Amino acid sequence: MAILEILEYPDSRLRTKAEPVTDFGAELQQQIDNMFETMYEAPGIGLAATQVNFHQQLIVIDISDDKSSPLVLINPKITEKKGVEQREEGCLSFPGVYAKVERADAISVEALDRNGKAIKLEADDLLAVCIQHEIDHIEGRLFVDYLSPLKRDRIKKKLQKLQKSR
Ligand code: GNR
Ligand code: NI
């Protein structure tokens, strides 16, 4: 296993639209394991392949406190959205940045698991937020896209300063 480098905003590679996964072989399995290791080490509750410069529609999530609920979503589609809720979000591609974003409160999702088997799930609360945040990543969208241009610009300057300092 390996810890992967996480791209940080405003890296333009975060804007890449991922291609559907078609090959569920050993390389994909290795990529999934490396993404879990990277997410747990960060630590984060989700990680999209785009963030580690792998441009296929692959997401890993675990919102548990004890690594007990790993979830892999491949080629995911949101089939239903209900309600809206504002929540504070963070992102591993924006170290130290938190902002309130409005999302659907509950969603239905269809996806493939790591073996290519079709799965359907219903999610609400934090899991629903996390899935929507990760699906945005694989489509090249970022949580700051929902903020005002002024707030986004402040965040960009803060991160560029941080990146120059190391
Ligand atoms: O670790 C993460 N926490 C989080 C908190 C609120 C809403 C979304 C997230 S996802 C984030 C990890 C990440 O950047 N995934 O893309
Ligand atoms: Ni993120």
Side-chain angles (χ1 to χ4, degrees):
M1 293 228 280
I3 304 289
L4 307 171
E5 186 189 338
I6 298 175
L7 302 178
E8 291 182 5
Y9 185 79
D11 194 312
S12 61
R13 293 172 290 182
L14 289 168
R15 295 301 186 181
T16 312
K17 239 177 109 53
E19 300 292 332
V21 171
T22 57
D23 185 347
F24 291 80
E27 273 178 43
L28 185 77
Q29 303 307 317
Q30 184 66 249
Q31 178 70 22
I32 292 168
D33 291 340
N34 289 342
M35 284 176 57
F36 272 116
E37 195 181 10
T38 303
M39 177 187 79
Y40 287 133
E41 197 257 354
I45 60 169
L47 186 68
T50 310
Q51 291 177 279
V52 292
N53 203 31
F54 183 82
H55 300 292
Q56 297 186 21
Q57 295 172 19
L58 165 63
I59 290 166
V60 300
I61 291 175
D62 191 339
I63 62 164
S64 77
D65 297 330
D66 56 357
K67 309 186 180 183
S68 62
S69 307
L71 177 65
V72 177
L73 297 177
I74 292 172
N75 304 347
K77 299 267 180 309
I78 295 176
T79 55
E80 205 183 335
K81 293 188 179 190
K82 280 188 192 159
V84 287
E85 177 121 71
Q86 269 211 355
R87 259 184 189 270
E88 184 119 295
E89 297 194 14
C91 181
L92 294 172
S93 297
F94 294 75
V97 175
Y98 301 89
K100 274 200 169 175
V101 176
E102 195 172 282
R103 305 269 189 192
D105 187 31
I107 57 174
S108 304
V109 180
E110 296 185 5
L112 303 176
D113 72 8
R114 65 186 296 161
N115 302 310
K117 186 172 124 295
I119 51 176
K120 284 188 193 187
L121 67 114
E122 318 269 293
D124 60 11
D125 297 322
L126 183 60
L127 182 58
V129 170
C130 187
I131 292 172
Q132 292 172 84
H133 176 113
E134 304 311 340
I135 290 179
D136 273 357
H137 273 303
I138 62 177
E139 293 177 349
R141 267 194 314 275
L142 298 167
F143 78 130
V144 294
D145 298 348
Y146 301 101
L147 307 179
S148 70
L150 178 64
K151 279 190 186 163
R152 196 160 51 242
D153 198 54
R154 283 203 196 111
I155 290 169
K156 186 175 170 184
K157 287 189 171 130
K158 178 179 168 179
L159 290 176
Q160 283 174 330
K161 195 172 160 189
L162 174 72
Q163 287 158 22
K164 276 189 195 126
S165 76
R166 44 181 205 220

